[in-house]
Amino acid sequence: QAQLVESGGGLVQPGGSLRLSCVASGSAFSVYAMGWYRQAPGKQRELVATIHSGGRTNYADSVKGRFTISRDNAKNTMSLQMNSLKPEDTAVYYCNRVEREFQLSWGQGTQVIVSS
């Protein structure tokens, strides 16, 4: 079973930036579409960004133009560059495979708090 570890979260002011990282063991990346998810308190987990093995990306409307997802298949790593952060971006962020039949156990995530 591959493992996912998220890092890079923290406290940032509105309008600020943060870069999250996801590191996977085994063959978690490479041939799978990967995504960043977030879950705010009392809310459902939502997919905010997807990157396919070939590099094609997709974003939720709420983050489009502000977030950028990237991956390094050789290193089994993935990043989420978050700019122009808003209070509504506050959540715990997770990474995982996007295709549900291939998803791994969820990691602990990394907390992002956007507040002044």
Side-chain angles (χ1 to χ4, degrees):
Q1 173 74 282
Q3 296 179 317
L4 300 165
V5 180
E6 302 91 347
S7 63
L11 174 64
V12 63
Q13 294 186 340
S17 298
L18 212 55
R19 186 177 182 86
L20 308 183
S21 295
C22 170
V23 180
S25 65
S27 57
F29 289 2
S30 185
V31 301
Y32 303 99
M34 298 293 298
W36 280 99
Y37 300 75
R38 68 186 182 188
Q39 186 168 26
K43 304 297 182 181
Q44 292 292 307
R45 182 184 293 114
E46 64 172 335
L47 177 64
V48 298
T50 300
I51 184 165
H52 297 269
S53 61
R56 189 173 75 257
T57 60
N58 291 98
Y59 300 92
D61 288 341
S62 59
V63 308
K64 191 171 297 182
R66 300 187 298 118
F67 291 9
T68 302
I69 187 172
S70 61
R71 68 191 293 165
D72 185 332
N73 290 334
K75 297 181 178 179
N76 275 168
T77 59
M78 182 172 65
S79 296
L80 184 68
Q81 178 65 48
M82 305 184 294
N83 298 325
S84 302
L85 284 162
K86 305 175 180 180
E88 49 263 48
D89 295 319
T90 296
V92 177
Y93 284 71
Y94 304 86
C95 60
N96 212 330
R97 296 170 179 170
V98 172
E99 294 166 290
R100 292 189 178 275
E101 62 265 44
F102 299 125
Q103 286 190 331
L104 305 170
S105 296
W106 296 95
Q108 294 187 28
T110 185
Q111 175 75 63
V112 171
I113 300 176
V114 184
S115 176
S116 59

